[in-house]
């Protein structure tokens, strides 16, 4: 079990003379709660393309922080800090609320997307989250199938019993669940068997060089076969070029997410991209056009 520190504790522990990066961490931690309210944080959406029907009905929501003094702060940097300081639940609550608002707005325009939010280990260590999500969905009259959640294997290992219990509850509510960054954690295969998830997302590390790395191609193909054997869907993350797409298709991948199709986009740009993809998807699959 992890004992998260509050930002006040971290600030209290600050020793004068520590380096610049420590100063940056303190600034980020200090400014994070306010930035959530002041419009410096926003959400971008990256489509997931289904290879079988060449359709795009789902996307991943990713947080962005444009800090007024520091500029763009990458999520890999501040999410880790938020996790260690106990601020992560504020980030997660904010993301889920933003995404649910956006999903409701899209439904009013007739756009039915399923959007995945990333969770941290800490979000699943208490049993609050499923109830909070159920209340928000009901309030916006959204079906549970509009929301999906992505968890990493690392998240699960913090407290497997509690995490699995929460995932089970979320699954019973009808929310789609995915294991994120698959292949980079520990005990991958053991957890694949135990976790009540629908989907496995193969990490970009195995996808980015797949067109010329035979080992990566083999890993992706074998993982896909294994996941399919367990009744799971497989998404490949981080596809950047057409040559890689052919390899993913050959490996039997179900869905693909990556710059090749689209970078993470603001909500309004995503709807534009979806229209373009629907009308002209031979652009992304040129070999059959
Ligand atoms: P992730 O959940 O694995 O998200 C996928 C990351 O890969 C995103 O980075 C996305 O922009 C990037 N990506 C997608 N396709 C490509 C590609 O073709 N090439 C390259 N080079 N990158 C690609 P991003 O947005 O920087 O997020 C990094 C990580 O930060 C995420 O990895 C996730 O672990 C975390 N994160 C982002 N937003 C949230 C959030 O709202 N909550 C939590 N808890 N974590 C988040
Ligand atoms: Mg993710
Ligand atoms: Mg990932
Ligand atoms: Mg990641």
């Amino acid at each position: 079990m992890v004992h998260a520190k509050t930002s006040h504790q971290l600030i209290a522990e600050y020793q004068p003379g520590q380096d610049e990066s420590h100063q940056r961490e303190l600034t980020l931690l200090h400014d994070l709660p306010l930035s959530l309210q002041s419009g410096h944080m926003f959400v971008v959406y990256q489509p997931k393309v289904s290879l079988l029907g060449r359709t795009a009905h789902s996307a991943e929501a990713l947080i962005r922080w444009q800090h007024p003094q520091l500029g763009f702060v990458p999520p890999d940097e501040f999410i880790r800090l938020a996790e260690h300081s106990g601020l992560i639940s504020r980030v997660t609550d904010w993301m889920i609320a933003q995404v649910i608002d956006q999903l409701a707005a899209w439904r009013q325009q007739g756009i039915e997307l399923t959007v995945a939010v990333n969770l941290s280990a800490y979000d699943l260590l208490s049993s609050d989250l499923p109830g909070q999500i159920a209340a928000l969905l009901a309030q916006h009259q959204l079906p549970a199938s509009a929301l999906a959640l992505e968890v990493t294997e690392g998240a699960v290992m913090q407290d497997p019993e509690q995490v699995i219990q929460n995932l089970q509850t979320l699954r019973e509510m009808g929310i789609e669940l995915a294991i994120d960054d698959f292949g980079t954690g520990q005990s991958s295969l053991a957890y694949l068997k135990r976790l009540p998830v629908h989907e496995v997302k193969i990490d970009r590390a195995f996808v980015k060089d797949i067109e010329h790395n035979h080992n990566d191609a083999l890993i992706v193909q074998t993982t896909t076969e294994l996941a399919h054997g367990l009744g799971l869907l497989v998404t490949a993350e981080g596809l950047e070029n057409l040559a890689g797409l052919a390899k993913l298709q050959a490996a039997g991948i179900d869905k693909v997410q990556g710059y090749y199709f689209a970078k993470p986009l603001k909500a309004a740009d995503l709807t534009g991209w979806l229209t373009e993809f629907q009308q002209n998807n031979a652009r992304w699959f040129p070999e059959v056009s």
Side-chain angles (χ1 to χ4, degrees):
M1 177 78 77
V2 173
H3 297 281
K5 290 176 183 170
T6 66
S7 56
H8 292 297
Q9 278 172 315
L10 282 175
I11 290 164
E13 284 171 15
Y14 173 67
Q15 299 291 315
Q18 283 178 328
D19 60 10
E20 233 173 76
S21 76
H22 197 79
Q23 186 55 52
R24 178 176 163 98
E25 291 185 358
L26 289 178
T27 305
L28 293 178
L29 279 174
H30 176 269
D31 294 351
L32 192 148
L34 189 66
S35 283
L36 283 173
Q37 289 158 29
S38 58
H40 298 142
M41 301 261 190
F42 57 96
V43 185
V44 288
Y45 299 86
Q46 188 179 33
K48 299 184 186 180
V49 171
S50 174
L51 293 186
L52 188 63
R54 298 183 176 179
T55 51
H57 297 302
S58 54
E60 176 174 12
L62 295 155
I63 196 166
R64 292 291 177 262
W65 187 359
Q66 190 63 39
H67 189 284
Q69 282 83 42
L70 300 173
F72 175 72
V73 185
D76 279 328
E77 180 180 10
F78 72 83
I79 292 289
R80 184 183 54 81
L81 285 177
E83 287 175 343
H84 292 297
S85 66
L87 287 171
I88 190 66
S89 64
R90 314 255 292 260
V91 175
T92 304
D93 291 352
W94 182 85
M95 276 299 283
I96 290 174
Q98 295 286 312
V99 166
I100 285 182
D101 275 352
Q102 186 59 60
L103 284 168
W106 275 331
R107 296 241 159 188
Q108 288 201 330
Q109 301 167 38
I111 300 166
E112 290 200 5
L113 274 175
T114 295
V115 173
V117 172
N118 289 282
L119 295 184
S120 286
Y122 306 85
D123 298 318
L124 291 166
L125 293 179
S126 88
S127 55
D128 300 342
L129 194 70
Q132 285 173 16
I133 289 176
L136 275 177
L137 288 170
Q139 200 183 322
H140 288 78
Q141 295 172 307
L142 283 171
S145 60
L147 189 70
L149 297 169
E150 298 186 3
V151 295
T152 56
E153 299 158 88
V156 179
M157 278 180 289
Q158 301 281 351
D159 181 356
E161 293 312 317
Q162 179 67 64
V163 169
I164 290 171
Q165 172 74 59
N166 279 324
L167 292 177
Q168 193 66 48
T169 305
L170 290 161
R171 187 189 169 105
E172 282 161 13
M173 284 164 54
I175 292 175
E176 279 178 35
L177 304 174
I179 305 185
D180 205 352
D181 303 344
F182 188 75
T184 59
Q186 304 151 41
S187 306
S188 305
L189 297 178
Y191 282 105
L192 199 53
K193 194 179 96 176
R194 278 184 72 193
L195 290 180
V197 298
H198 304 86
E199 180 183 318
V200 169
K201 296 186 74 179
I202 298 181
D203 195 79
R204 190 172 85 85
F206 305 104
V207 177
K208 63 181 169 58
D209 299 321
I210 193 169
E211 73 273 21
H212 39 247
N213 187 318
H214 177 69
N215 288 345
D216 286 344
L218 198 62
I219 289 169
V220 169
Q221 185 185 335
T222 309
T223 304
T224 304
E225 281 167 12
L226 176 73
H228 283 166
L230 293 166
L232 304 170
L233 288 172
V234 184
T235 295
E237 301 192 275
L239 174 73
E240 294 193 1
N241 56 53
L242 178 64
L245 179 63
K247 293 282 181 187
L248 295 178
Q249 268 173 323
I253 288 282
D254 300 291
K255 284 188 273 177
V256 179
Q257 189 184 338
Y259 293 176
Y260 175 68
F261 287 108
K263 287 197 170 179
L265 301 167
K266 289 192 176 174
D269 295 331
L270 179 73
T271 52
W273 184 90
L274 288 170
T275 308
E276 165 71 8
F277 185 75
Q278 231 163 30
Q279 289 171 356
N280 187 21
N281 80 10
R283 179 180 144 190
W284 286 273
F285 296 95
E287 82 281 16
V288 293
S289 58

